[in-house]
Amino acid sequence: MNNVYILGGLRSYIGICNGIYKHIPAEILGAQVLKKIVQKYKLNTIDYIIGGNGVGAGGNITRLMALEAGMDNSIPAFTVDMQCCSGLASISVGADKIKAGNADLIIAGGFESNSTQPRRSYNPNHPDYKDDTYYSSAKFMPHIHRENIMLEGAELTAQKEHITKEEMDFWVLRSHKLALEARINNYFKDITVSINNSKKDDGIRPRMSQKLLDKVPKILPNGKFITAANACLINDGAAFVVLCSEKYLNEHHLKPMAKIINSCDCGVEPMLSPKGAIASLNKILQKNDLKPNDIDIFEINEAFAVIDVLFARNFKNCIDRYNIFGGALAYGHPYGASGAIILLHLLTALNLRNGKLGCATIAGAGGLGSSMLIERI
C-alpha cells in the first residue's frame, strides 16, 4: 500500500445562505477555489478531481465544476454524496485510490450552495407524491420525510442523553469566542481565498453573549432544546485539499503538510445522527490502537452543540485539544464542503500547537459518521 500525503489546500470564506454568495451556483463557487489551488500548488498532472455535494443539482456536479474551472477535459471527476460527510468521504476515496496505486495526485473536498439549490418535488408516480409542493431536505430514512428531520434528530438526541440548554450554551459561546480569536490572529490566512470580494466568514458573532442566548427561541414547535444558536446556520462554501503519493513528492521535490494514516465510516440510529461523530471517532481510535490522549488535536464538525456535549462527556480530558478555533456553530456548515473545511482547520491547528496526530470527524444525515486520522510531517 502506498503512503498518501496532503500537500495543502484552500477553502472559501463561508457565507450564510442568501448572503455573500447568493447568486453564485455551487459549481462556480467550487470552481473558483479549484482554480486557486491549481495556481498555488502549480499542478500540471491531475489524476482525479473528487467533490462532495449534498444539495446541488446532481448530474455529476463535480465534473461540471471542473469544466467551469477550465480543467483539462481529460481529467476525470466525480461526485460523492454522503450528505454532511461528503467532503471527508471524497478525501477518503481519493486517499484510497492513491494507496492502491491507481493515482498519484488528486484534488478532493467538497462544495455547496444552499442559496441556489434546486427546488425539488416528487414525481406523481412516486409513492410519496402528495401534491406539487417543493422540498429542500432529502429523505434520510424509510417512511419519514420532513423538512426539520435533522433538527428533530438533534432534539431527540438531547432528550435521550439528558443534555441541558446550559450545557449547550457553554459550547455556543466558546465556539464564537475562539472563532473570533482565530479571525483576529489571522490563523487561516494561508488556507482562505476571497470569492466575490468576500473578506470573512459570515457566521461568526463577536457579540454573542449569554444574555442573547437566553432570548433565542426554540426552533421546533414544542421543542425544549434546539435553538438557532445551538444549531448551525445554513451556508455556502467550498474547500479542497491536494493529495499525492510519495512518488509524486519525490519527482517534484515537495514537502507535504501531513500524511493520511487512514479513515473510517460508521452508521448509527438515523434519528440520533449527532451520535455518529462520537461513534466514528471511537472506531478510528480502536482501529489504530490509540487512546484519546495520543491525539494532539480533535476537529469535529459541530453541526449542533449536542455534539460538543457528547464529546466533552466521552473525552473529558481532551477539551483543551478540541476545536481550538471554534467550530461550525460559528463558521457554518456548507454540507458537502465541511469535511474538507475541518481537515484544513485540523492541519492549521497541528501546526500552531506543534502537534503530531490529529483526527477530523463529522456526523452525517441519515445516521452516519466519518473520521480521518492524519500525522503532521
Side-chain angles (χ1 to χ4, degrees):
M1 300 287 281
N2 296 317
N3 288 327
V4 184
Y5 298 92
I6 303 173
L7 280 182
L10 294 171
R11 72 165 174 88
S12 68
Y13 290 109
I14 303 167
I16 296 172
C17 184
N18 294 320
I20 52 176
Y21 306 133
K22 181 178 180 179
H23 298 296
I24 303 180
E27 63 270 18
I28 303 297
L29 189 59
Q32 293 300 313
V33 177
L34 193 59
K35 286 193 288 188
K36 292 178 184 293
I37 282 182
V38 172
Q39 293 167 3
K40 178 174 181 177
Y41 295 99
K42 301 178 175 60
L43 304 179
N44 295 315
T45 55
I46 302 167
D47 293 312
Y48 286 93
I49 297 170
I50 308 173
N53 187 267
V55 299
N60 193 6
I61 191 173
T62 301
R63 172 64 170 174
L64 175 60
M65 177 199 68
L67 297 175
E68 289 281 5
M71 297 293 101
D72 192 279
N73 291 342
S74 65
I75 301 171
F78 63 91
T79 307
V80 173
D81 181 357
M82 202 175 170
Q83 289 297 295
C84 313
C85 301
S86 300
L88 203 58
S90 296
I91 297 166
S92 297
V93 170
D96 286 344
K97 282 189 172 294
I98 293 173
K99 280 183 182 179
N102 291 326
D104 286 304
L105 188 122
I106 293 175
I107 301 174
F111 56 113
E112 205 74 75
S113 171
N114 278 280
S115 295
T116 66
Q117 75 172 97
R119 301 171 69 188
R120 295 178 285 183
S121 64
Y122 282 111
N123 187 293
N125 294 329
H126 195 286
D128 286 340
Y129 176 82
K130 293 178 181 178
D131 52 42
D132 286 327
T133 57
Y134 298 103
Y135 66 88
S136 57
S137 293
K139 186 176 183 179
F140 298 126
M141 64 196 78
H143 315 302
I144 299 174
H145 189 185
R146 293 192 292 270
E147 288 293 301
N148 287 330
I149 198 68
M150 294 303 295
L151 295 168
E152 292 176 25
E155 181 85 12
L156 183 61
T157 304
Q159 177 187 331
K160 284 185 171 293
E161 296 296 326
H162 306 290
I163 293 172
T164 66
K165 175 184 176 298
E166 289 71 28
E167 283 181 287
M168 291 188 284
D169 283 351
F170 169 83
W171 291 101
V172 177
L173 293 170
R174 178 186 186 267
S175 191
H176 285 274
K177 176 179 179 290
L178 293 178
L180 181 61
E181 290 176 3
R183 174 189 288 173
I184 291 170
N185 288 298
N186 210 15
Y187 286 140
F188 299 140
K189 64 181 185 300
D190 294 329
I191 63 167
T192 45
V193 296
S194 176
I195 297 169
N196 200 32
N197 296 316
S198 57
K199 295 180 174 61
K200 63 180 181 179
D201 297 311
D202 270 0
I204 301 170
R205 295 288 175 260
R207 297 180 181 177
M208 183 63 73
S209 65
Q210 186 63 54
K211 185 176 180 181
L212 179 60
L213 291 180
D214 290 339
K215 294 179 180 179
V216 178
K218 309 299 186 294
I219 298 177
L220 295 170
N222 303 315
K224 297 180 180 179
F225 305 101
I226 304 303
T227 71
N230 60 38
C232 65
L233 297 175
I234 300 172
N235 300 92
D236 307 329
F240 294 93
V241 298
V242 182
L243 309 176
C244 71
S245 65
E246 193 161 348
K247 174 186 172 186
Y248 186 92
L249 288 179
N250 293 334
E251 288 178 350
H252 294 82
H253 309 291
L254 297 170
K255 187 178 187 303
M257 294 185 69
K259 180 170 72 171
I260 294 178
I261 306 300
N262 56 30
S263 60
C264 74
D265 305 301
C266 72
V268 296
E269 163 59 43
M271 279 301 293
L272 301 174
S273 61
K275 299 181 76 170
I278 304 306
S280 68
L281 179 53
N282 279 322
K283 184 175 180 178
I284 201 162
L285 290 175
Q286 293 167 8
K287 183 177 180 179
N288 292 277
D289 195 25
L290 294 170
K291 304 296 183 187
N293 283 336
D294 294 325
I295 305 299
D296 296 301
I297 297 289
F298 296 88
E299 187 71 34
I300 298 184
N301 189 61
E302 53 173 22
F304 300 99
V306 166
I307 294 171
D308 297 316
V309 176
L310 293 175
F311 178 87
R313 290 180 178 181
N314 285 274
F315 299 90
K316 295 182 178 65
N317 298 321
C318 302
I319 292 173
D320 63 323
R321 290 169 275 145
Y322 172 74
N323 286 7
I324 70 167
F325 302 127
L329 292 175
Y331 296 102
H333 175 24
Y335 316 123
S338 290
I341 290 169
I342 63 170
L343 184 58
L344 287 168
H345 287 197
L346 176 61
L347 289 164
T348 305
L350 286 170
N351 282 336
L352 183 68
R353 292 276 184 93
N354 196 29
K356 181 181 179 183
L357 291 179
C359 193
T361 296
I362 191 163
L368 296 167
S370 294
S371 288
M372 178 171 287
L373 179 68
I374 66 171
E375 179 184 353
R376 176 173 165 266
I377 302 298

